Amino acid sequence: PVQETVKAYIAGFLDGDGCIMAQLVKRSGYVYGYQIRTSIVFYQKTKNESILRWLKRQFLEGYIRQRNDEMSEYTIVGMNSVKRLLEKLLPYLRLKKKLAKAIIRIIDDWPANGRPPLKQYLKLCLQVDASALYNYSKKRTITTAVVEKYLTKN
């Protein structure tokens, strides 16, 4: 188990050099055409990538990738993994506490069988839209409105 001081350190790292996201991602083969994907990403200069490898050893999940801009990312994707990590870090988060709670709520509202009825799915999409207000993304183009437009065409 991860020690409390280590959890506090990692929460501070996430507050400063990390990102918690819920996204709507286009996926062929998905019932509603889009996946609700949750993820946590830690960023660091590639020359300091060893700290990301240390993080990965703490949680034993996710992957590290080197970008083309001398940055590296440690990414954890998936509702169960994201919830497990956020619940460990939540008591220590400061800047991203409200966002973490919003992401946990999305995950908790996802049905156990993984197949929400359309009305519930669209409510979850609205929660994704609301969670995005906590982030600084300028590129976000897929919103509930885009999903609804797709569903009315198909």
Side-chain angles (χ1 to χ4, degrees), residues 13 19 21 23 25 34 39 47 52 54 57 65 75 79 88 91 94 97 108 110-111 113 116 131 133 139 149:
F13 193 139
C19 185
M21 292 177 280
Q23 299 166 285
V25 181
Y34 291 83
S39 55
K47 68 178 184 175
L52 299 180
W54 175 82
R57 286 193 303 274
R65 95 179 168 100
T75 305
M79 292 197 182
K88 287 178 184 173
R94 295 291 178 264
K97 188 181 283 269
D108 285 344
W110 189 261
N113 69 5
S131 75
L133 300 175
K139 297 180 196 171
K149 188 175 179 182

Side-chain angles (χ1 to χ4, degrees), residues 1-95:
V2 181
Q3 295 176 336
E4 296 306 304
T5 54
V6 173
K7 289 180 199 174
Y9 171 79
I10 294 169
F13 193 139
L14 181 58
D15 265 342
D17 285 332
C19 185
I20 307 166
M21 292 177 280
Q23 299 166 285
L24 299 169
V25 181
K26 183 103 173 90
R27 291 274 189 252
S28 60
Y30 273 63
V31 177
Y32 303 124
Y34 291 83
Q35 170 193 14
I36 295 177
R37 179 173 68 193
T38 58
S39 55
I40 298 171
V41 186
F42 294 88
Y43 302 95
Q44 198 58 227
K45 286 271 191 196
T46 299
K47 68 178 184 175
N48 298 324
E49 189 181 297
S50 61
I51 191 71
L52 299 180
R53 289 193 298 273
W54 175 82
L55 280 173
K56 189 172 188 279
R57 286 193 303 274
Q58 301 307 303
F59 299 114
L60 303 173
E61 44 193 327
Y63 59 91
I64 296 172
R65 95 179 168 100
Q66 294 179 350
R67 301 185 337 199
N68 293 328
D69 60 355
E70 298 180 33
M71 292 293 289
S72 291
E73 302 175 347
Y74 168 44
T75 305
I76 298 165
V77 178
M79 292 197 182
N80 293 333
S81 298
V82 167
K83 182 179 178 184
R84 200 168 30 252
L85 181 53
L86 289 179
E87 286 179 338
K88 287 178 184 173
L89 302 181
L90 193 62
Y92 308 104
L93 287 170
R94 295 291 178 264
L95 295 173

Side-chain angles (χ1 to χ4, degrees), residues 79 83 87 103-112 120 124:
M79 292 197 182
K83 182 179 178 184
E87 286 179 338
I103 300 298
I104 290 170
R105 206 167 310 116
I106 291 167
I107 295 167
D108 285 344
D109 289 349
W110 189 261
Q120 183 184 8
L124 287 161

Side-chain angles (χ1 to χ4, degrees), residues 102-147:
I103 300 298
I104 290 170
R105 206 167 310 116
I106 291 167
I107 295 167
D108 285 344
D109 289 349
W110 189 261
N113 69 5
R115 288 262 174 135
L118 180 57
K119 192 174 180 179
Q120 183 184 8
Y121 176 77
L122 291 173
K123 278 185 179 178
L124 287 161
C125 289
L126 288 170
Q127 287 177 255
V128 171
D129 289 352
S131 75
L133 300 175
Y134 294 103
N135 283 323
Y136 308 117
S137 173
K138 295 167 197 75
K139 297 180 196 171
R140 187 169 189 271
T141 57
I142 302 174
T143 62
T144 302
V146 171
V147 173

